[in-house]
Amino acid sequence: MAEHDLSYKDRGSVLNRVYPLVKLVWVFLIAVGLFLFTRPLSGMVVFLFVLFLALIPGKMRPGEILKSGLIVFGLGFLLMIFHFLIDPGETVWSFGFLQVSDYGLQQGPVFFFRLSGVVLASFILIWTTDTRDLMQSLVKAGMPYRYAYTIFLALRFLPLIQREVESVKAAHAIRGRAAGTTLKHRIILWQRYVFTILINGLRKAENTADALECRAFGYAPERTYVKRIAFRKRDMVLILFTLLLEAGLIAGERLF
Amino acid sequence: MSRSLIELNNLTYRFRRKDDPVLEDISFSLEKGTFNILVGPGGSGKSTLCRILDGRIPHLLRGDLTGDVFLEGKSALDLEMKDISCCVGSVFQDPETMFATLTVEDEIAFGPENLLRVRDKIREDVEKLLGLTGIGTYRHNLVWNLSGGQIQKLGLASVLAMEPKLIILDEPTANLDPASTSQVHELILSLREQGMTVLLVTRELDEFLAEADQLLVLDRGKLLYRGEPYGILSERGNDLEQRGIWLPETVEIGLELRRRGYPVDRIPVRVRETLELIQQLNLVSEGTVLTGRDSPTRDETASPLIDGRGIRYSYGGGLYALKGVDIAVRPGEMLAIVGRNGAGKSTLAKLLIGLNKCREGSLNLFGKNSRRWKVPDLANHISLVFQNPEHQFLTDTVADEIDYSLQSRGVNDPEERIRERGKMLGQLGLSEEAERHPFTLSAGNKRRLGVATMLVGHPEVLIVDEPTYGQDREMTRTLMTLLREIRDRGIAVVMISHDMRLVSEYADRVVVMSEGLKHFDGNPTELFDKAEILESASLEPTLLFQILKALGEWGVTCRGNIPRTETFIKLLLKEGEVSLG
């Protein structure tokens, strides 16, 4: 059976051992930084930093990253091209009615790195964090466990949805091509695709919600945790380094 | 003190905004420490009844409920869900959707953690249950990387960890290979020995029926019969058969003999009991010869539609799902591919329909190298009916589904489409459902529509994944009769199945897969004689074959193909020529 791309796996990596809440805050910091940057170079530095973390301390394989992120990176690329063409500014290159502006050339990569960086950081969180540990760290931080669990059950669902998507995709492919190959026809097909996944996803979610109740979830305001997770001060290195890097880049943008 | 753990009195339930009750005037009780079986045809209300017993109705799913449910003497309707969940454990039909954590041991601990059990006790129980269910090796595995059998065992372990007094199991072996089914069976039977009350919803009665303390028969929302299984079979066996309930072959033999006037006081359930009955009625003696039709000979001269040699396939990571498989599919044959979960059957099917590409070994599909086919083009020659037909539906009505398939096969003339559509809907008994949304059809009709959408283009090969999944006996018979007609039209039908009875009754040829290799290619009768192959592929012979084998030990000679109980009875009663199938 093919492995699911968007699921937690204990690779024995450094990032596997980092306290889950620290990783969650780190993703938030990466997102904030990328939204504050105005120059492509800053976005690129942070994206490469995130990529480095995924490859070395995270022990991900480049193929895994590419496979899971292909659609998002592709969308980011299209977004970049879109900005090249529609942003106002001095025209630096033109081909027929297509015109590329200087502002577009700057904004395009900013948006590409913004989207790709946030998504890759989120992938790192998913790949390296047991959702149960993440829930427990949120509970330790004071969140009622019912809420913590509800939020992160969604992550638990990702591999199931991914498998559903693969099955529906395969089933639709073997139905063959109908005569209509127009854009409208393709949009209708996509609607069906989403509809099937949505319906089956909702059914599964409903079953899971029922199962939680049947298994005494919410029985008492507290619950036992067999596994203990512990915060280590050295995990904060990830946050501190990211803060320093982003602060440096923002300062650099302001000064130069 | 009452022995009843749970008691239902005159219970009627309607879904919201529905006039017809889904359950009507149901009264029964489950005694403490008993093993109970609930059976009924598809859509009879079994799952709804389970939801009432485990408290999901009315606590989570509202509706109109009248009557009483008592759990240990207290009204379950007045209890809170959390109190019911301490007493009643429920393993859902698809246990994977029950899982709330990532790893096997976390999943088992989840329930007891909610119940605020102490950490050491939970650890101790997890160890015990990992051992009991035999999944200790996979304790750190991610739950979505488990096989079907392991998922069922984990579902059971995670519910048992909460130490319920009543455990409800809804079709726990519906999609398991025979060996995993046997393991789950043993596990379930061991629960009663531990003093637990068990309610099992199943269609696989072979190993359970003789063990049950109570059999409950539900049809169209009404509890028709309840009581000791042998008594119900003796008094109501024919009725159960007519209602489309799967009965073991042993029971079918007993019922048929009685219908033919033989004195059968107690309908046999076990193989041993059937043999005793045959002996008691003097139906065979040493030297008796039972000769079925010869197994169909394969037309090796017909050029294969599918011809694969040394097929190897890997999903990556150096592990091979197929390790050198030869396969040929010829026109007009019904081929069964069997093997345990994870044996490589689905991978092989994906290669045949072009979803996976064969890169090692050779695979020719319809005279052309498989790598040169595009999936949508190949769809004109080979079709696959998925296990979950909903995945295949693309439109808003049954009629449009057929139209879509016709269009994709190049039928663009509207009049021809209407004609073809009407023919297909009529052939599959779906004419009255033409304007309904495919998702709102019954399970049986969804399956038929799945077959219909795949048949309209007149494919040369039709692959059906688990034809009996979620089907009652009547639905299965209808579907299999249809598949046989399709085969008779010269189309090759390939069914992927765990159901050995189905294979024995319908397949012309069976291919056994195990660990990515083909272990057997021949007719089902030959297969059942090869104990080593059956064991290595986690398969088990049918009850009928076990009877034939035991008769052989008595000096009775069984020749040719005796695939089903009707054939066996005719031979036993020497009713002349027996037609195969």
Side-chain angles (χ1 to χ4, degrees):
Chain A
M1 190 189 288
E3 273 196 23
H4 299 289
D5 308 323
L6 280 179
S7 59
Y8 162 72
K9 191 175 175 188
D10 187 357
R11 295 168 170 84
S13 71
V14 175
L15 286 182
N16 273 131
R17 292 192 294 275
V18 173
Y19 193 65
L21 195 56
V22 168
K23 282 185 273 187
L24 185 67
V25 172
W26 172 76
V27 173
F28 180 72
L29 284 178
I30 292 289
V32 169
L34 285 168
F35 276 88
L36 290 176
F37 299 145
T38 52
R39 295 194 194 165
L41 185 65
S42 308
M44 188 178 75
V45 170
V46 169
F47 177 76
L48 290 176
F49 168 62
V50 175
L51 189 62
F52 166 80
L53 288 178
L55 292 170
I56 310 299
K59 289 190 179 172
M60 314 295 166
R61 290 197 302 270
E64 283 176 288
I65 297 172
L66 202 61
K67 196 176 164 195
S68 300
L70 199 61
I71 292 177
V72 181
F73 298 153
L75 274 175
F77 184 75
L78 287 177
L79 193 65
M80 182 167 75
I81 302 293
F82 186 67
H83 277 277
F84 285 168
L85 299 173
I86 62 128
D87 278 4
E90 289 283 315
T91 302
V92 290
W93 183 78
S94 65
F95 184 78
F97 66 94
L98 297 174
Q99 292 183 336
V100 176
S101 68
D102 56 351
Y103 186 66
L105 277 179
Q106 189 184 327
Q107 285 302 296
V110 168
F111 278 89
F112 171 77
F113 289 124
R114 197 173 278 175
L115 182 67
S116 305
V118 173
V119 169
L120 186 56
S122 309
F123 282 178
I124 290 177
L125 177 72
I126 294 166
W127 281 324
T128 62
T129 315
D130 185 334
T131 43
R132 192 183 160 88
D133 295 344
L134 184 55
M135 178 196 78
Q136 211 178 322
S137 68
L138 283 167
V139 173
K140 275 191 168 185
M143 187 183 266
Y145 79 85
R146 282 193 80 110
Y147 296 120
Y149 215 93
T150 310
I151 294 166
F152 291 100
L153 209 57
L155 294 177
R156 164 70 185 76
F157 258 93
L158 279 176
L160 291 180
I161 293 169
Q162 199 179 358
R163 193 161 63 185
E164 191 76 11
V165 170
E166 281 162 17
S167 296
V168 176
K169 207 165 118 185
H172 285 193
I174 63 161
R175 287 289 303 270
R177 281 192 208 101
T181 48
T182 58
L183 187 63
K184 188 183 163 198
H185 177 74
R186 279 168 192 270
I187 290 169
I188 290 169
L189 278 189
W190 267 95
Q191 279 175 355
R192 307 313 309 171
Y193 200 76
V194 172
F195 176 77
T196 310
I197 291 160
L198 196 69
I199 292 286
N200 286 318
L202 285 173
R203 279 187 196 148
K204 281 196 169 99
E206 194 186 357
N207 259 346
T208 306
D210 284 0
L212 289 179
E213 297 281 349
C214 288
R215 294 172 73 191
F217 186 72
Y219 176 77
E222 303 293 321
R223 72 191 291 278
T224 312
Y225 296 94
V226 172
K227 283 183 186 164
R228 295 173 201 225
I229 54 161
F231 170 73
R232 299 170 308 171
K233 282 181 186 162
R234 64 170 181 247
D235 291 343
M236 287 302 286
V237 170
L238 182 67
I239 286 186
L240 291 175
F241 186 80
T242 305
L243 272 175
L244 280 173
L245 178 72
E246 290 186 338
L249 288 167
I250 290 169
E253 283 188 358
R254 302 283 184 276
L255 292 173
F256 306 104
Chain B
M1 204 174 90
S2 168
R3 286 268 304 136
S4 290
L5 179 70
I6 198 160
E7 194 178 332
L8 274 67
N9 289 330
N10 310 109
L11 186 127
T12 296
Y13 178 73
R14 284 178 183 81
F15 288 123
R16 267 184 182 180
R17 293 188 285 275
K18 297 272 179 192
D19 294 331
D20 294 330
V22 61
L23 291 172
E24 195 177 354
D25 200 23
I26 306 278
S27 297
F28 71 90
S29 64
L30 302 180
E31 306 295 312
K32 286 174 188 164
T34 55
F35 178 49
N36 306 272
I37 296 179
L38 173 63
V39 295
S44 58
K46 302 186 293 289
S47 294
T48 307
L49 185 55
C50 290
R51 287 190 188 111
I52 289 174
L53 294 172
D54 68 21
R56 277 181 280 168
I57 295 175
H59 297 288
L60 303 179
L61 184 64
R62 307 274 175 208
D64 178 14
L65 190 144
T66 57
D68 298 307
V69 183
F70 293 105
L71 183 60
E72 292 196 302
K74 293 177 199 156
S75 170
L77 308 179
D78 298 333
L79 292 172
E80 283 190 51
M81 189 64 204
K82 61 184 183 182
D83 300 317
I84 298 172
S85 63
C86 296
C87 189
V88 181
S90 197
V91 182
F92 293 7
Q93 217 169 68
D94 177 7
E96 205 175 0
T97 61
M98 291 171 59
F99 298 157
T101 67
L102 298 187
T103 66
V104 168
E105 57 179 15
D106 284 354
E107 196 56 45
I108 300 174
F110 179 79
E113 284 178 329
N114 293 331
L115 292 172
L116 289 168
R117 300 242 166 93
V118 292
R119 203 172 271 137
D120 287 345
K121 156 91 173 132
I122 297 176
R123 282 204 191 103
E124 203 177 290
D125 287 349
V126 168
E127 287 304 323
K128 204 171 76 187
L129 286 162
L130 283 170
L132 179 75
T133 50
I135 51 174
T137 324
Y138 313 103
R139 62 190 307 151
H140 300 301
N141 274 35
L142 293 170
V143 292
W144 49 76
N145 286 342
L146 299 176
S147 71
Q150 289 156 2
I151 286 170
Q152 287 293 349
K153 288 175 190 171
L154 177 59
L156 192 55
S158 57
V159 170
L160 287 176
M162 297 174 71
E163 299 176 336
K165 290 175 184 164
L166 166 66
I167 187 157
I168 300 167
L169 301 138
D170 194 355
E171 298 277 5
T173 55
N175 201 16
L176 298 187
D177 60 57
S180 301
T181 301
S182 267
Q183 289 166 12
V184 174
H185 282 174
E186 277 174 32
L187 203 56
I188 293 168
L189 292 175
S190 73
L191 299 179
R192 181 178 52 175
E193 286 158 25
Q194 293 167 31
M196 204 173 281
T197 308
V198 181
L199 176 69
L200 172 70
V201 181
T202 188
R203 43 157 274 195
E204 291 170 49
L205 293 169
D206 291 11
E207 291 180 45
F208 289 122
L209 203 48
E211 304 288 338
D213 298 300
Q214 183 175 228
L215 179 66
L216 302 156
V217 183
L218 199 65
D219 192 10
R220 293 176 195 173
K222 290 185 177 161
L223 186 65
L224 299 179
Y225 314 117
R226 66 186 170 101
E228 186 267 326
Y230 282 95
I232 291 183
L233 290 174
S234 290
E235 290 166 25
R236 310 288 183 183
N238 289 333
D239 188 37
L240 298 189
E241 264 194 332
Q242 281 164 12
R243 287 178 188 273
I245 292 166
W246 287 99
L247 293 172
E249 287 161 304
T250 48
V251 173
E252 285 182 4
I253 291 168
L255 291 171
E256 186 59 28
L257 286 172
R258 195 162 66 178
R259 274 198 291 268
R260 286 164 187 255
Y262 287 89
V264 182
D265 300 329
R266 185 178 156 96
I267 299 294
V269 173
R270 295 184 168 100
V271 169
R272 177 178 47 79
E273 293 165 349
T274 315
L275 291 166
E276 282 166 7
L277 178 69
I278 291 170
Q279 195 175 34
Q280 192 191 317
L281 298 175
N282 281 323
L283 294 174
V284 293
S285 57
E286 200 176 333
T288 302
V289 180
L290 303 178
T291 311
R293 279 271 180 91
D294 285 338
S295 298
T297 48
R298 290 169 61 187
D299 182 6
E300 300 283 354
T301 54
S303 59
L305 302 166
I306 292 170
D307 189 12
R309 304 279 164 90
I311 301 168
R312 286 164 59 81
Y313 189 83
S314 170
Y315 288 103
L319 293 171
Y320 277 83
L322 295 176
K323 298 170 185 168
V325 173
D326 294 344
I327 189 155
V329 178
R330 292 186 164 79
E333 70 170 338
M334 193 175 297
L335 167 69
I337 302 179
V338 299
R340 71 173 69 157
N341 301 97
K345 307 186 296 289
S346 301
T347 304
L348 184 60
K350 282 182 185 168
L351 282 165
L352 301 186
I353 56 171
L355 288 174
N356 291 342
K357 294 289 173 203
C358 175
R359 292 193 177 82
E360 294 181 64
S362 76
L363 177 61
N364 279 307
L365 303 172
F366 313 100
K368 197 163 116 180
N369 188 313
S370 63
R371 275 177 289 183
R372 290 167 57 200
W373 282 103
K374 286 183 180 165
V375 179
D377 298 331
L378 194 54
N380 291 324
H381 299 267
I382 184 164
S383 294
L384 170 72
V385 182
F386 272 56
Q387 209 176 86
N388 182 354
E390 283 183 0
H391 285 161
Q392 292 176 278
F393 299 151
L394 286 161
T395 67
D396 290 327
T397 67
V398 168
D400 286 349
E401 280 298 317
I402 308 282
D403 271 8
Y404 182 93
S405 289
L406 286 166
Q407 275 183 292
S408 70
R409 267 55 167 182
V411 183
N412 293 320
D413 175 21
E415 279 184 21
E416 193 186 344
R417 269 211 308 270
I418 292 169
R419 208 172 40 246
E420 284 285 318
R421 183 217 295 164
K423 207 167 90 185
M424 186 52 70
L425 291 176
Q427 211 173 22
L428 282 139
L430 290 168
S431 300
E432 286 180 18
E433 316 283 356
E435 293 310 314
R436 280 184 67 176
H437 195 287
F439 275 68
T440 65
L441 296 176
S442 69
N445 281 345
K446 276 181 194 163
R447 205 80 168 116
R448 282 188 218 178
L449 180 59
V451 174
T453 57
M454 288 298 148
L455 274 180
V456 288
H458 308 293
E460 292 164 78
V461 177
L462 180 71
I463 304 177
V464 190
D465 194 0
E466 284 297 347
T468 55
Y469 183 65
Q471 306 272 304
D472 63 27
R473 190 176 133 128
E474 275 321 295
M475 288 183 210
T476 303
R477 286 219 162 143
T478 310
L479 186 61
M480 292 313 296
T481 306
L482 176 73
L483 293 180
R484 187 178 271 171
E485 284 167 18
I486 292 165
R487 178 202 60 184
D488 293 344
R489 280 192 259 150
I491 296 169
V493 177
V494 180
M495 56 177 176
I496 300 168
S497 183
H498 289 132
D499 189 331
M500 297 311 287
R501 188 169 167 187
L502 193 82
V503 169
S504 164
E505 290 188 6
Y506 292 95
D508 304 320
R509 183 160 70 96
V510 56
V511 163
V512 178
M513 303 274 300
S514 178
E515 311 281 338
L517 290 166
K518 186 173 83 173
H519 284 236
F520 177 86
D521 190 341
N523 73 53
T525 311
E526 286 169 18
L527 168 66
F528 292 145
D529 247 341
K530 299 195 185 311
E532 279 174 29
I533 290 172
L534 291 173
E535 201 184 327
S536 70
S538 302
L539 300 171
E540 281 179 5
T542 59
L543 293 181
L544 178 60
F545 188 82
Q546 290 175 40
I547 292 168
L548 294 174
K549 187 145 191 174
L551 287 176
E553 285 162 18
W554 289 0
V556 174
T557 308
C558 302
R559 288 190 196 130
N561 199 7
I562 307 175
R564 58 182 59 156
T565 52
E566 293 97 310
T567 321
F568 175 63
I569 297 278
K570 283 180 181 173
L571 290 171
L572 210 56
L573 305 181
K574 303 168 187 68
E575 290 183 351
E577 183 75 9
V578 177
S579 70
L580 182 70

